[in-house]
Amino acid sequence: MSSGPGAASAPAPDPHDSPPASDAPAARPARRSSMFSSLKVRNYRLFFMGQVVSNTGTWMQRIAQDWLVLSLTGSSAAVGITTALQFLPMLLFGLYGGVLVDRLRKRPTLLVTQSSMALTAIALSVLTLTGHVQVWHVYVAAFAVGLATVVDNPARQSSVSELVGPGQLQNAVSLNSANFQSARLVGPAVAGILITGVGTGYAFLFNGLSFIAPLTGLLLMRARELHVVERAPRGKGQLREGVRYVTGRPELIWPIVLVGFVGTFAFNFPVYLSAFADDVFHAGAGAYSMFNTLMAVGSVAGALLAARRGTARLRLLIVAAVAFGALEIVAATTPTLWMFALLMVPLGLFGMTVNVTTNTSLQMSTDPAMRGRVMALYMMIFLGGSPVGAPIVGWVTDTYGARVGLAAGGAVAALAAAVIGLILARVGNLRLSVGWHGGHPRVRFVPREQQEALAPAA
């Protein structure tokens, strides 16, 4: 893989069918392949199969961890502290993790981070099964997992391109998302059975042992088949260099800004959905579980559809974000529980489209030597948005009601997407064109010169 600028490695898109010019680096030839084409690559297939098992264990531990803290303290605030401790390292050290990832080889790095998370889960399972666990043990374990995630997350994100190469990157990123969302359907259900049947300690034990799968996959990979890129040399100012790199490129900074708005105000579904289940429809925990399950179904569908596409255009990102925000506003006005529940499927689909398109376009627009830092910044903004926004949207929901809270979050997402779309169009010297094509209305961006040339003929 070339270590030169990512923008130079991609062909320019067709101006008649392109979003803003800044979309060009993220575009690839519009080639549709099999939905699972990247699984033909042996190294990626090993990675994917390992993640199937590990992601299931991760979701099991999330449920068991919250339940254990609630059982030990009887306090929802303590559960919130646990979640905050797990996200805090990414907020504090996320960019430094990206610097390390750009310096290190990805596969050995993942072997270390995955092993550390496995040992943490096993230690917590031993403490729980022997009856010696205390809440501070869970706090320490959550913080330790968060520290490992600082390096593990950008390493896993950026390693995908080394496994499959640029031609299969969109498909592989999409399948990763489908993998994680599928585990979201299975993991909590299995955790519930284990917790009620034999106790939370066995859920932690399963998670610890589940890391055997990805570790085995990493060890079985063929190094000669990796698309290895040149690593960044150790030097001063690499953190500032990464920030300057992102802020100087509209095709990188504006998608990250958009994800920041969407993640902070529109993706706080634990707040919104629990409020609708209890306060609006008075249906309790069963409805809350159903909402989350249906959203996960939509997310899996969105990830698989993204795997089917051959490109990751910023135009699609803008449209999906606007649609996501608009659907939240519509959901906020639904009069019945079943109408609200059915809207969870398209909400999950468009939300996943936003995530996958942002992830893929960032990776394909980035110099491989900078990819770790760029993905670390993206994950820091995306993962950090929900904890930062939760108190804000929680206050709005408590004060003005769940419907106002959800509608406000959707309005912020839609407005941010529309404004950023116009900014990218201006940067790319494009203009909005509205007309008719084949008897149907057609809205698209075209170069200003082309529109001005056609104006006299109109």
Side-chain angles (χ1 to χ4, degrees), residues 14 17 20 27 64 81 87 110 114 204 210 216 228 232 251 289 320 342 373 393 455:
D14 182 356
D17 189 36
I81 291 172
F87 281 103
L110 288 172
Q114 298 273 296
F204 297 137
S210 73
T216 302
V228 180
E251 72 275 15
S289 176
L342 289 175
R373 278 164 282 184
V393 300

Side-chain angles (χ1 to χ4, degrees), residues 141-353:
F143 190 74
V145 170
L147 284 175
T149 302
V150 167
V151 177
D152 184 79
N153 234 320
R156 277 191 297 108
Q157 297 286 337
S158 57
S159 69
V160 174
S161 63
E162 294 193 359
L163 295 175
V164 301
Q168 294 286 355
L169 183 59
Q170 160 85 5
N171 184 265
V173 170
S174 303
L175 289 183
N176 281 352
S177 299
N179 186 332
F180 187 74
Q181 293 300 325
S182 299
R184 179 182 171 188
L185 294 172
V186 177
V190 178
I193 294 171
L194 285 179
I195 291 170
T196 57
V198 292
T200 55
Y202 286 97
F204 297 137
L205 180 61
F206 182 95
N207 183 44
L209 296 177
S210 73
F211 283 96
I212 294 174
L215 290 171
T216 302
L218 288 167
L219 292 171
L220 291 176
M221 288 179 184
R222 295 170 181 164
R224 65 181 181 276
E225 296 178 7
L226 295 172
H227 300 257
V228 180
V229 301
E230 182 180 350
R231 286 177 282 155
R234 182 183 296 272
K236 294 182 178 180
Q238 289 181 321
L239 181 60
R240 292 192 299 273
E241 180 187 11
V243 174
R244 285 198 301 269
Y245 180 84
V246 172
T247 56
R249 287 163 173 77
E251 72 275 15
L252 299 180
I253 185 60
W254 289 113
I256 291 177
V257 170
L258 175 56
V259 164
F261 276 104
V262 174
T264 301
F265 297 102
F267 259 90
N268 271 288
F269 287 109
V271 176
Y272 296 137
L273 300 187
S274 59
F276 267 84
D278 283 343
D279 302 332
V280 177
F281 299 120
H282 308 289
Y288 178 63
S289 176
M290 178 179 65
F291 295 157
N292 280 283
T293 300
L294 289 172
M295 184 167 289
V297 170
S299 297
V300 172
L304 292 176
L305 286 174
R308 184 70 175 171
R309 288 190 293 270
T311 57
R313 295 182 181 275
L314 292 185
R315 176 183 61 188
L316 175 62
L317 171 61
I318 299 300
V319 171
V322 171
F324 178 73
L327 277 169
E328 285 199 341
I329 296 173
V330 173
T333 65
T334 53
T336 67
L337 183 147
W338 291 109
M339 290 178 63
F340 183 83
L342 289 175
L343 283 172
M344 294 301 101
V345 177
L347 270 172
L349 189 152
F350 282 106
M352 182 53 60
T353 301

